[in-house]
């Protein structure tokens, strides 16, 4: 919110009572309910992969997250402007769904900004300068990689591999190798157990995991070799390396020369996957940096644009 900064930082999850249609919980509390609810409570994600998939539920979720006090403040502004991020390859239907969601909340004007540009602005990259900056947005459903210059995208690539693919790889590995069904809530702590050094081979050798036996259905604990889990995680992440290679191949040589010094900036929630940056550094030979708050960089970039703190480079035609 202009002048106030970031007001809400919650996962886009809503829990609904299917019998009455009532909204039970949103945000972090609803996310904790995943996989733990009775049959009549459904946990939904109205915003998935960066796009709105359920307009009505997205509006209800946002109303609840904003709260009555903030909504009353917004109603007093007759010319309310709103901005939202959309993925680089979002089609007209996805853009329309985002606009309708915000118009339904009272916005008179909605501006859509490419997630890649907003994230680059939010982590302090000189996007508007005639220099190359490479940003990698690591989301749950996909990873987007782009080279930016003069405030625009020069080349970009979307790889359909994100944090969810890594979670799925861990679950499948434990099911096949140890016949253990892992609860969805346990995947993230297992990833963190791989660090200190994450995907690098200097972390703990063995970690203990609790889950359900595939054959008997009983609770069971196993000691898991972290080196094998690292290999399972690295398999889907090789697709991200291929995407980076394609972006660099399509990029003009002058911009690639800039990137040799500046490197890649990682943003998005999955950028915090332990050791992911080290793996990219080894594979590309380029410097790799993680933004200070990678999960909210795009929102901070939107805020900077709305408040006019970014001065875009004006390319006026020269008078002859």
């Amino acid at each position: 919110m202009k002048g106030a900064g970031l007001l809400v930082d919650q996962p886009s999850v809503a829990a609904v009572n299917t019998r009455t249609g009532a909204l039970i919980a949103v945000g972090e509390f609803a996310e904790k309910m995943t996989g733990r609810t009775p049959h009549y409570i459904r946990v939904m994600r109205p915003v998935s992969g960066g796009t709105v998939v359920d307009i009505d539920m997205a509006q209800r979720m946002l109303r609840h997250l904003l709260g009555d006090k903030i909504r009353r403040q917004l109603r007093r502004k007759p010319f309310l402007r709103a901005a939202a991020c959309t993925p680089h390859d979002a089609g007209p239907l996805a853009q329309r769904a985002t606009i309708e969601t915000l118009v339904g909340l009272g916005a008179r004007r909605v501006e859509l900004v490419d997630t890649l540009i907003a994230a680059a602005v939010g982590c302090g990259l000189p996007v508007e300068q005639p220099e190359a900056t490479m940003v990698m947005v690591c989301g749950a459903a996909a990873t987007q990689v782009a080279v930016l210059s003069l405030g625009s995208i020069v080349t970009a690539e979307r790889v359909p591999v994100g944090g969810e693919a890594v979670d799925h790889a861990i679950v499948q590995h434990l099911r096949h190798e140890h016949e253990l069904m892992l609860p969805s809530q346990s995947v993230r702590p297992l990833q963190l157990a791989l660090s200190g050094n994450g995907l690098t081979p200097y972390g703990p050798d063995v970690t203990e995991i609790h889950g359900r036996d595939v054959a008997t259905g009983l609770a069971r604990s196993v000691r898991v070799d972290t080196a094998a889990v690292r290999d399972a995680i690295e398999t889907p992440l090789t697709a991200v390396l291929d995407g980076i290679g394609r972006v660099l191949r399509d990029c003009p040589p002058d911009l690639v020369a800039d990137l040799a010094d500046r490197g890649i900036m990682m943003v998005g929630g999955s950028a915090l996957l332990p050791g992911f940056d080290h793996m990219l550094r080894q594979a590309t030979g380029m410097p790799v940096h993680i933004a200070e708050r990678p999960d909210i960089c795009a929102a901070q970039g939107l805020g900077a644009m709305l408040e006019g703190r970014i001065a875009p480079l004006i390319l006026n035609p020269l008078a002859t």
Side-chain angles (χ1 to χ4, degrees), residues 259-271:
L259 295 172
D261 296 330
R262 184 163 288 152
I264 305 169
M265 178 65 79
M266 294 174 68
V267 299
S270 299

Side-chain angles (χ1 to χ4, degrees), residues 38-317:
H39 67 92
Y40 61 90
I41 294 177
R42 185 175 163 215
V43 178
M44 331 171 43
R45 293 185 176 269
V47 181
S48 178
T51 57
V52 178
V53 293
D54 186 333
I55 294 173
D56 178 55
M57 190 53 65
Q59 287 177 349
R60 290 174 69 186
M61 180 185 73
L62 281 169
R63 282 193 196 101
H64 195 89
L65 286 172
L66 286 171
D68 292 335
K69 185 181 175 185
I70 299 169
R71 276 164 46 212
R72 278 197 297 271
Q73 289 177 22
L74 297 179
R75 277 197 209 106
R76 295 192 200 109
K77 299 179 179 180
F79 301 107
L80 181 66
R81 285 171 66 212
C85 287
T86 53
H88 175 63
D89 59 350
L93 282 176
Q95 293 179 354
R96 186 74 198 161
T98 306
I99 292 169
E100 282 190 24
T101 302
L102 294 173
V103 167
L105 291 169
R108 296 290 176 269
R109 182 178 165 195
V110 178
E111 297 176 27
L112 299 181
V113 180
D114 196 303
T115 306
L116 291 160
I117 294 174
V121 169
C123 58
L125 294 176
V127 177
E128 70 279 9
Q129 297 302 316
E131 303 168 8
T133 52
M134 190 169 192
V135 66
M136 189 165 97
V137 178
C138 311
T143 300
Q144 300 176 77
V145 187
V147 174
L148 312 175
S149 180
L150 293 173
S152 298
I153 294 171
V154 180
T155 57
E157 187 80 29
R158 182 181 184 275
V159 182
V161 171
E164 289 172 357
V166 172
D167 294 352
H168 183 70
I170 292 175
V171 170
Q172 289 301 310
H173 168 77
L174 289 171
R175 186 177 183 122
H176 292 147
E177 298 296 321
H178 299 279
E179 295 185 350
L180 192 77
M181 286 187 71
L182 193 66
S184 59
Q185 304 283 339
S186 302
V187 175
R188 197 64 62 188
L190 174 57
Q191 290 177 3
L192 296 177
L194 296 175
S195 58
N197 298 295
L199 304 183
T200 61
Y202 310 113
D205 292 333
V206 177
T207 186
E208 191 167 349
I209 299 298
H210 309 286
R212 189 178 81 187
D213 190 286
V214 172
T216 64
L218 301 175
R220 184 161 66 93
S221 299
V222 294
R223 293 177 70 78
V224 178
D225 179 18
T226 52
V229 179
R230 275 196 298 274
D231 292 341
I233 288 176
E234 284 180 3
T235 303
L237 294 182
T238 51
V240 176
L241 297 176
D242 293 341
I244 292 172
R246 286 194 295 272
V247 167
L248 292 174
R249 279 197 297 275
D250 294 342
C251 199
D254 291 356
L255 294 180
V256 176
D258 288 349
L259 295 172
D261 296 330
R262 184 163 288 152
I264 305 169
M265 178 65 79
M266 294 174 68
V267 299
S270 299
L272 297 171
L273 181 67
F276 191 12
D277 56 328
H278 180 82
M279 179 185 164
L280 289 176
R281 211 173 282 123
Q282 279 190 323
T284 61
M286 293 163 63
V288 178
H289 314 282
I290 300 177
E292 193 173 335
R293 287 289 308 277
D295 48 340
I296 59 167
C297 272
Q300 288 176 326
L302 279 181
M305 290 175 175
L306 281 174
E307 293 181 357
R309 281 183 275 143
I310 298 298
L313 191 70
I314 299 170
L315 300 174
N316 286 328

